[in-house]
Amino acid sequence: MKHLIDPMDMTVEEIDHILALAIDIMANREKYSEVCKGKKLATLFYEPSTRTRLSFEAAMMELGGNVLGFSSANSSSAAKGESIADTIRTVSCYADIAAIRHPKEGAPLLASMHSSIPIINAGDGGHNHPSQTLTDLLTIKRTKGRLDNLTIGFCGDLKFGRTVHSLIKAMARYENVNFVLISPPELQVPEYLKEDVFIKKNIPYTEVVSMDEVMPQLDILYMTRVQKERFFNEADYIRLKDSYILDLEKLETAKNDLAILHPLPRVNEISVKVDDDPRACYFKQVECGKFARMALIMNLLGLDK
Ligand code: NCD
């Protein structure tokens, strides 16, 4: 049985296969409308979510399956003190596959050890978010036509941003990808990740504080929200929350075919005026999320053969 806990759980070939399947689903929606008939997806969300949970649920419905679950820890027996292990043993009796979001790093991995159904990590603390990575890769593939030979800038909270961590790991496996890490010194990519992904594999990366100096070289700009809920004290959050605000003026020096991505939700780090710029891809990215998850569900259930 397969789970998706970390983007490295999948080979590059498997990822490419899922992306190709997602692209085929987009073009032939009818063909896939009953693939998951009789199957159930459980969404177990111990943390807030709009896109991830709803796109998983919409994905399963579009495949002809059904969904069940909870959208906050308060509305599940977690509020009574039940362990994640007991919860997943229970859910394994009701559903065929489960997506779990949890504030604690490693919780979906723990769940997978007690589960008899495939588990998808839908975000664990400041750690990983591999189904968002599939979404991001699909968006990049559709806008740039490739996943290699790209310069990608990650901007904002690179310390706590789990979507950043997972996408860095995934992109580092493609040829000739240049990484530009734009953040205040306090919110840099964690050392363990730089060591594992860049240093051990000799992959070049640069770290800068200002986005202005690197803007002209970027093919992709991946903006992120400062992750308020992961800060240990509010004063630090307040000091850092407005570190970057992308507006049309900042984009003046950018390439005409820059692709601006953001996993959303946005707070204020991208001015709404940027939304109408043809380089803004973050709502297209939302759409890709549903199709990437349809392909992922099919893959983990072994229905893509
Ligand atoms: C992200 C997350 O939950 O990590 N949102 C998402 O799933 N699209 C990003 C965020 O919350 O900032």
Side-chain angles (χ1 to χ4, degrees):
M1 191 184 25
K2 278 206 291 189
H3 304 288
L4 178 60
I5 306 298
D6 184 297
M8 301 305 274
D9 292 344
M10 289 184 159
T11 63
V12 175
E13 290 70 31
E14 279 173 317
I15 289 178
D16 290 343
H17 161 76
I18 289 175
L19 300 181
L21 177 59
I23 289 168
D24 193 60
I25 296 172
M26 277 178 173
N28 305 286
R29 312 254 299 250
E30 228 2 78
K31 188 170 126 193
Y32 295 92
S33 64
E34 298 203 358
V35 170
C36 284
K37 205 170 170 197
K39 301 279 184 204
K40 282 168 280 173
L41 163 81
T43 49
L44 315 179
F45 276 57
Y46 296 83
E47 253 195 355
S49 169
T50 297
R51 275 148 294 269
T52 305
R53 187 172 62 84
L54 297 186
S55 66
F56 265 117
E57 296 185 354
M60 192 53 160
M61 288 175 189
E62 284 212 28
L63 292 168
N66 286 303
V67 296
L68 66 168
F70 51 82
S71 55
S72 75
N74 289 341
S75 63
S76 79
S77 283
K80 300 178 183 172
E82 185 170 63
S83 71
I84 188 122
D86 286 0
T87 300
I88 200 63
R89 273 195 203 113
T90 305
V91 172
S92 295
C93 303
Y94 305 148
D96 301 283
I97 182 166
I100 305 183
R101 168 170 290 187
H102 203 283
K104 281 206 186 118
E105 288 82 6
L109 174 65
L110 182 74
S112 71
M113 293 168 174
H114 297 275
S115 174
S116 55
I117 60 173
I119 300 297
I120 301 165
N121 175 6
D124 64 326
H127 200 203
N128 277 306
H129 193 349
S131 71
Q132 182 66 41
T133 301
L134 292 171
T135 302
D136 301 340
L137 294 175
L138 182 60
T139 311
I140 295 170
K141 178 117 190 145
R142 287 188 68 224
T143 44
K144 310 299 302 181
R146 63 183 190 279
L147 294 170
D148 51 11
N149 297 302
L150 290 165
T151 297
I152 178 166
F154 290 88
C155 178
D157 187 346
L158 312 188
K159 178 179 182 188
F160 296 117
R162 56 195 175 194
T163 65
V164 170
H165 302 163
S166 289
L167 186 56
I168 284 178
K169 288 186 194 174
M171 288 292 290
R173 298 159 94 190
Y174 292 91
E175 288 295 307
N176 193 25
V177 176
N178 284 309
F179 293 86
V180 182
L181 311 174
I182 311 155
S183 75
E186 296 91 332
L187 297 179
Q188 284 179 353
V189 170
E191 287 303 322
Y192 80 89
L193 205 68
K194 281 189 265 188
E195 180 68 33
D196 276 8
V197 180
F198 302 129
I199 298 165
K200 277 191 194 153
K201 294 177 192 143
N202 256 323
I203 294 175
Y205 71 96
T206 43
E207 280 183 308
V208 295
V209 175
S210 153
M211 71 160 92
D212 301 334
E213 59 182 285
V214 293
M215 190 65 88
Q217 68 192 70
L218 303 179
D219 299 309
I220 298 161
L221 174 57
Y222 193 95
M223 292 295 296
T224 61
R225 166 181 78 91
V226 176
Q227 307 278 298
K228 182 178 184 198
E229 65 276 34
R230 315 248 180 261
F231 277 72
F232 299 112
N233 73 71
E234 206 184 345
D236 285 347
Y237 171 70
I238 290 170
R239 188 166 48 83
L240 294 166
K241 71 183 175 58
D242 299 324
S243 297
Y244 302 98
I245 297 177
L246 182 67
D247 55 20
L248 290 172
E249 205 185 312
K250 286 220 167 345
L251 282 170
E252 272 170 18
T253 61
K255 288 185 180 171
N256 288 333
D257 64 349
L258 170 75
I260 306 163
L261 273 67
H262 190 311
L264 302 180
R266 145 175 72 184
V267 182
N268 63 346
E269 57 282 352
I270 303 182
S271 153
V272 291
K273 294 208 176 101
V274 175
D275 297 359
D276 296 327
D277 189 290
R279 292 169 286 192
C281 294
Y282 30 94
F283 288 110
K284 183 172 172 184
Q285 195 178 354
V286 171
E287 200 196 346
C288 284
K290 183 181 70 183
F291 295 104
R293 290 177 174 110
M294 287 172 82
L296 173 63
I297 291 169
M298 282 181 62
N299 177 261
L300 293 179
L301 288 176
L303 298 171
D304 55 344
K305 306 289 180 293

